[in-house]
Amino acid sequence: MEDGFRNDSNFYQGARDIAREAKRQTSNQAMDDYSRYQDNTYGHYSPNDAYYNSGDHVNQDEDAQSDATEGHDEDDEIYEGEYQGIPHPDDIRSQHKDASIKDEFKDHADIMAERMEDEEQLAYQYENIIQECGHGRFQWTLFFVLGLALMADGVEVFVVGFVLPSAEKDMCLSRSNKGMLGLIVYLGMMCGAFVWGGLADRLGRKKCLLISLTINATFSSLSSFVQGYGFFLFCRLISGFGIGGSLPIVFAYFSEFLAREKRGEHLSWLCMFWMMGAIYASAMAWSIIPHYGWGFSMGTHYHFHSWRVFVVICVLPCIASIIALKFMPESPRFLLETGKHDEAWMILKKIHDTNMRAKGEPEKVFTVSHIKTPKQMDEFIEIQSSTGTWIQRWLVRVMTVVKQVWESVLYCFTGQFRRNTVLLAVVWFTMSLSFYGLTVWFPDTIRYLQEEDYATKVKVFEDEHVRNFVFNFTLENQIHIDGTYYNDKFYKMKLKYVTFENCLFDECFFEDVTSPGTIFKNCTIKASYFYNTDIYKHRFIDSRLINTTFHNQEGCHIDFEEDNDFLIYLVSFLGSLSVLPGNIISALLMDKIGRIRMIAGSMLISAVCCFFLFFGNSESAMIGWQCLFCGTSIAAWNALDVITVELYPTNKRATAFGILNGLCKLAAIFGNSIFASFVGITKVVPILLASTALVCGGLISLRLPETRELVLM
C-alpha cells in the first residue's frame, strides 16, 4: 500500500510540474507567490490578482463589478445579490459549464495539480480576508461558545472519579467494576475523537460538533437516572463517545476564524476552558455530593441520591454550548474547500460587519467580491429515487462518507504528512502517558500515605471481659484480642476498621450497625442476633457461628472503601487551579518563542519536576509537587493543540487532530492502568517511566517544523 501511495504522489508531482509549465506564461504572479511559499518567505504575502480586492488593489477593470450602484445584467435588470458583490448566477453557471467541458479533456493528474494550486492560492487569499475582517466581537463570541464545549470535555474526564465513592454503594460495585467504569470513559472518548474528527472534514465543523455534544448531553443525563451498573456503564461509554469529538473539532473550527498573528495566542486562551471544566466539576462535587439528602426515593428499588444530582449539573456546560452554537455559522474556510462560495462569502461579510460595528466603523465596506475555490475532486455516487429504495440510497451515502474518511486517515500517514504525523503521534502519546498516569497516581499515593499514617495509630486491647453493656458509640481503628463479650448490645453504632481476633460473643445483639473494614478472625459467635446490619457472613474469617441468626440489610455484600471525599475534591481542585499560571504564560509567549520551543521546554521542565517526587513523603508534599507538575506541563498541551491544527490542510485538519487525540486517550488508558498498579509498592517505576517519556517526547518534538509563520493551508 505504501508503494502505491508513493507512486501516486510521484505521479501527481509530475503532473503538477507539467501544469505549472503550461500556465507559466499566464500566471507569473501566482507562481512567484508559490515560490515564496516553498522558500517559507510568504509571511507577508499580499496577493494581487483578480480574486481578491482590497482598498489598495482595486483595478479599473473590476470597478464596474464591485460598484454597489452600477451593476446590471445584459437586460438592464438588477439581480439579487448585486449590492453584496456576489457574481451573477448566470455568469457562475457559465463558468462552471466551460470548466466542466475543459475537464473532460484532462486526466486526473492535471485536475489534481490544478486543485493543489488553487488550495495554495486560497490559503494566502483567505489569510488576507481574515485580516481585513479583523479580530473583534465575532471571534470573542465564538471563543466563549466553543469554550463551553471544551469545558464539557474537561467535566467529562472528572465526573466518574467524583461519583465513584457514592455510586459504588448504590450499584454494588466491586474494585474491578470501578476500574472498568473509570476506563470506559477514555475508551469512548478515544473512539469519538477518531470518528468525529474524520466526519468534521466531510460534513462540516458546526454540524458534527452539534451532533457530538447532543449525544454527550443526552447520555450523560440518562446515566444519572439509570439504576443498574450495566446501563450506567453503557451511558458513560456513549457519553464519552460524544464528547470525544469536541476537542478535535473545536480547535480546527476556531483556528479557521483567526489570522496568523492571533492564532497561537487565542488558541492557547481557549485551552483555559478545559481547566475551568475541571474546576467546575470539583466545586460542584464538593458542594453537592456530601449532601446525601439532596435526592429522593421511589419505593425500595429506585433511588436518586445527591451524586446523581451532581451528574445532571455537570451536563449544563454542554447544553449551554449546544444552544449557543445554533447561532454560530459554519467555518467559511471549510465551505470554500467544499466549493460553497456564496455561503462562505456571506459569513465572511457578516464577520467583517460585526467587528467593524463593534469598533465604531460601520461605514467600512467589505471589499472582497470573489474568493478562490479549489477544484472539487469528490466522487460521490447517488442512487436516484426511481432506481433504489431509501435504504439503498442511505447505505450508499454512509459508505461513501466512510470511504472518504478512511482515505483522509490514510492520507495523514502518506506522502508529505507521514513524518509529521508519526512525530506528533509520539509526542502526544508520551505526554498523555505521563500526564494522565501521574494524575491518577498522585491521589492514590496520597490516599496510601494516609492509610499508612492511620495504621500507625491503631489501638490494641487484649483480654477484655465485657458483660451486659450497651455499645452505642463509634469504635474506630482498634484491634481486640482474646476478648469475651456476654449479653452485650451493639446498637446504632459504627465499627470502623475494627478487628476482633480470638474473641467470644455469647448472646450478643447487633442492631443498626455499620462496619466498614471490620472483620472477625478466628472468633466464636454463640446464640447471637444480627438485625439490620452490614455484618455479613463473609466478614467472619475462620470463625464458628453457633445458633446465630441474621436479618441483615438488603443490598450488596461488598466491603466498600472509605474514601476521603474532601481529599479527592481538594486535590483535583488544586491541580486544576495550578494550571492557570502556565496557561497565561503559554498564551502570552506562544507566538513569540514558537510552538516547538514551547513543547520541548515544557516537557523537559516537567520531567525534572518528576524527579523531585522521590522527596514527597507526606500529603502536603505530594499535593505541592502535583500542582507544580500540572502547571509546567500545560504549556506543552497548549502548544501541541496549536501545532496540530497548523500542520495539516483544511480538508485533513480535524481528521489528523482526531487521530492524535484518540491516541492520546489510548495512552491515558495505559497510564491509568500501569501507574495505579505500583501504588504502595514502589515510587521508582512510575517516576522513571513518566520522566523518561517526557524527555523522549520533548527531544522528538524538536524535529517538528515550526508553524507560527505559516498560513492555514
Side-chain angles (χ1 to χ4, degrees):
M1 179 178 291
E2 291 182 0
D3 292 337
F5 279 108
R6 191 178 298 112
N7 292 335
D8 289 345
S9 178
N10 294 333
F11 181 68
Y12 293 150
Q13 183 63 39
R16 186 178 178 184
D17 295 337
I18 294 172
R20 288 179 184 167
E21 186 66 27
K23 295 179 181 180
R24 189 178 300 277
Q25 299 300 324
T26 58
S27 57
N28 290 330
Q29 182 62 44
M31 292 307 300
D32 292 341
D33 296 332
Y34 177 69
S35 299
R36 281 196 293 271
Y37 164 73
Q38 295 285 53
D39 297 333
N40 288 329
T41 59
Y42 54 85
H44 302 285
Y45 180 85
S46 180
N48 184 17
D49 54 27
Y51 295 107
Y52 179 82
N53 299 329
S54 65
D56 299 327
H57 298 85
V58 179
N59 57 42
Q60 295 179 355
D61 293 334
E62 293 174 340
D63 286 341
Q65 297 178 9
S66 60
D67 195 327
T69 61
E70 296 295 334
H72 300 279
D73 59 17
E74 60 185 11
D75 295 328
D76 202 31
E77 294 178 355
I78 298 176
Y79 58 86
E80 183 180 0
E82 177 182 6
Y83 293 116
Q84 288 78 27
I86 301 176
H88 195 287
D90 292 339
D91 296 337
I92 295 176
R93 282 194 293 269
S94 177
Q95 293 173 7
H96 288 175
K97 182 177 179 180
D98 294 340
S100 63
I101 294 174
K102 294 178 182 178
D103 289 345
E104 292 179 0
F105 300 97
K106 297 179 181 178
D107 58 18
H108 184 76
D110 290 333
I111 299 175
M112 190 68 177
E114 288 185 16
R115 176 177 173 83
M116 295 173 71
E117 292 289 344
D118 291 345
E119 287 177 343
E120 291 162 2
Q121 293 179 27
L122 172 60
Y124 308 136
Q125 185 188 6
Y126 189 82
E127 175 66 26
N128 283 275
I129 294 172
I130 289 296
Q131 289 181 2
E132 180 179 340
C133 291
H135 188 93
R137 177 178 295 174
F138 180 87
Q139 280 87 354
W140 284 112
T141 303
L142 184 64
F143 172 80
F144 287 105
V145 172
L146 296 181
L148 289 172
L150 204 59
M151 186 176 173
D153 182 271
V155 169
E156 187 73 18
V157 173
F158 290 90
V159 167
V160 171
F162 289 151
V163 304
L164 273 180
S166 301
E168 65 171 344
K169 300 177 178 64
D170 281 4
M171 298 183 181
C172 193
L173 302 182
S174 63
R175 183 181 292 271
S176 60
N177 291 146
K178 292 192 296 181
M180 177 58 69
L181 189 56
L183 296 179
I184 201 68
V185 174
Y186 287 114
L187 180 62
M189 296 175 77
M190 178 185 71
C191 297
F194 183 85
V195 172
W196 294 114
L199 290 177
D201 281 334
R202 292 299 166 185
L203 305 180
R205 279 70 162 120
K206 177 183 174 181
K207 179 188 294 185
C208 288
L209 184 57
L210 275 173
I211 296 173
S212 65
L213 290 175
T214 302
I215 291 174
N216 172 254
T218 301
F219 283 89
S220 290
S221 301
L222 187 60
S223 69
S224 67
F225 294 96
V226 298
Q227 297 291 301
Y229 168 72
F231 284 116
F232 186 80
L233 193 70
F234 174 76
C235 288
R236 298 315 304 187
L237 172 66
I238 304 301
S239 172
F241 175 78
I243 202 63
S246 64
L247 204 66
I249 300 176
V250 161
F251 282 99
Y253 190 11
F254 192 50
S255 67
E256 291 164 1
F257 290 90
L258 299 174
R260 182 184 58 208
E261 65 272 10
K262 298 283 186 181
R263 199 164 55 233
E265 177 184 351
H266 287 272
L267 287 176
S268 299
W269 289 127
L270 187 64
C271 294
M272 293 183 64
F273 281 93
W274 197 94
M275 172 203 70
M276 293 172 62
I279 293 175
Y280 175 81
S282 304
M284 292 299 102
W286 200 342
S287 304
I288 296 172
I289 294 180
H291 298 277
Y292 300 105
W294 290 15
F296 61 89
S297 298
M298 298 175 63
T300 58
H301 299 287
Y302 188 87
H303 304 280
F304 194 89
H305 292 146
S306 57
W307 69 267
R308 298 181 183 274
V309 178
F310 164 72
V311 173
V312 174
I313 295 298
C314 285
V315 183
L316 295 181
C318 185
I319 295 176
S321 179
I322 293 172
I323 296 172
L325 195 61
K326 295 288 288 182
F327 301 96
M328 293 292 106
E330 180 57 87
S331 164
R333 187 66 171 86
F334 168 79
L335 293 174
L336 291 170
E337 196 72 22
T338 55
K340 299 178 180 178
H341 172 275
D342 293 350
E343 293 181 48
W345 188 93
M346 293 297 293
I347 292 171
L348 289 168
K349 184 178 186 303
K350 178 182 177 182
I351 296 172
H352 175 274
D353 293 346
T354 300
N355 290 339
M356 293 304 108
R357 284 195 300 268
K359 293 178 180 179
E361 302 176 4
E363 72 284 351
K364 198 166 185 178
V365 178
F366 185 51
T367 61
V368 178
S369 63
H370 188 71
I371 309 172
K372 186 75 174 179
T373 54
K375 186 175 294 295
Q376 299 306 299
M377 301 293 295
D378 291 340
E379 299 177 356
F380 188 83
I381 302 173
E382 178 64 87
I383 296 180
Q384 300 299 322
S385 59
S386 59
T387 60
T389 65
W390 68 270
I391 296 179
Q392 290 174 314
R393 295 193 297 274
W394 181 81
L395 286 175
V396 168
R397 293 190 183 97
V398 171
M399 294 307 298
T400 301
V401 172
V402 170
K403 178 177 178 293
Q404 292 171 339
V405 170
W406 180 244
E407 288 176 349
S408 295
V409 172
L410 295 179
Y411 192 78
C412 293
F413 289 93
T414 57
Q416 58 180 320
F417 299 110
R418 178 191 302 169
R419 180 177 179 274
N420 290 340
T421 301
V422 172
L423 292 177
L424 277 175
V426 174
V427 178
W428 273 89
F429 190 90
T430 54
M431 187 68 201
S432 181
L433 180 72
S434 57
F435 180 84
Y436 285 102
L438 286 177
T439 53
V440 170
W441 184 75
F442 276 121
D444 286 351
T445 302
I446 293 172
R447 188 178 295 112
Y448 175 76
L449 293 174
Q450 284 186 324
E451 292 173 355
E452 277 192 329
D453 182 65
Y454 187 77
T456 60
K457 299 176 182 179
V458 65
K459 297 179 180 178
V460 180
F461 301 88
E462 297 186 27
D463 295 323
E464 283 185 317
H465 299 280
V466 183
R467 299 173 63 90
N468 303 318
F469 186 78
V470 178
F471 292 89
N472 56 2
F473 48 87
T474 298
L475 300 180
E476 180 178 359
N477 197 21
Q478 299 178 1
I479 298 177
H480 297 263
I481 303 174
D482 296 327
T484 301
Y485 304 90
Y486 179 76
N487 197 28
D488 294 324
K489 185 174 183 180
F490 297 80
Y491 179 68
K492 290 186 177 181
M493 64 167 301
K494 176 180 286 188
L495 297 171
K496 186 175 181 181
Y497 292 96
V498 178
T499 299
F500 294 98
E501 188 172 348
N502 297 323
C503 294
L504 171 64
F505 293 84
D506 191 0
E507 297 184 10
C508 292
F509 185 80
F510 294 79
E511 181 180 0
D512 295 333
V513 177
T514 58
S515 56
T518 295
I519 58 173
F520 297 81
K521 186 183 298 184
N522 198 25
C523 295
T524 301
I525 316 296
K526 294 174 56 178
S528 296
Y529 188 78
F530 292 81
Y531 177 77
N532 195 32
T533 73
D534 62 354
I535 306 176
Y536 301 104
K537 291 184 179 180
H538 72 274
R539 293 185 183 274
F540 299 93
I541 302 173
D542 297 328
S543 298
R544 292 180 298 166
L545 303 176
I546 304 173
N547 296 328
T548 297
T549 304
F550 290 87
H551 287 286
N552 280 331
Q553 302 169 349
E554 295 183 0
C556 301
H557 294 193
I558 296 177
D559 292 333
F560 299 115
E561 298 179 3
E562 284 290 313
D563 290 319
N564 188 337
D565 295 343
F566 173 80
L567 176 66
I568 296 174
Y569 309 145
L570 178 62
V571 170
S572 299
F573 181 83
L574 293 178
S576 302
L577 194 62
S578 65
V579 168
L580 181 60
N583 250 318
I584 296 174
I585 293 173
S586 65
L588 296 177
L589 299 180
M590 187 68 69
D591 291 319
K592 292 182 174 61
I593 69 174
R595 287 70 161 132
I596 304 305
R597 292 180 181 177
M598 185 72 71
I599 296 173
S602 175
M603 294 184 74
L604 294 177
I605 294 174
S606 300
V608 173
C609 293
C610 286
F611 283 102
F612 287 99
L613 295 175
F614 283 112
F615 305 101
N617 297 317
S618 64
E619 298 174 37
S620 57
M622 292 301 295
I623 293 175
W625 289 122
Q626 178 193 12
C627 293
L628 182 61
F629 173 78
C630 293
T632 54
S633 62
I634 192 61
W637 281 118
N638 294 355
L640 269 178
D641 293 333
V642 174
I643 197 174
T644 301
V645 300
E646 293 177 334
L647 276 178
Y648 295 90
T650 300
N651 60 347
K652 303 293 185 295
R653 183 169 297 122
T655 301
F657 206 119
I659 294 170
L660 296 169
N661 193 248
L663 186 66
C664 166
K665 296 304 184 288
L666 179 63
I669 294 175
F670 286 137
N672 288 351
S673 303
I674 295 172
F675 282 67
S677 63
F678 288 98
V679 174
I681 299 176
T682 179
K683 285 184 179 180
V684 176
V685 175
I687 294 174
L688 289 181
L689 180 59
S691 57
T692 302
L694 288 168
V695 170
C696 291
L699 295 177
I700 290 174
S701 69
L702 294 173
R703 301 181 63 84
L704 288 166
E706 182 57 69
T707 59
R708 60 175 168 170
E709 297 296 332
L710 302 184
V711 296
L712 284 182
M713 296 302 295

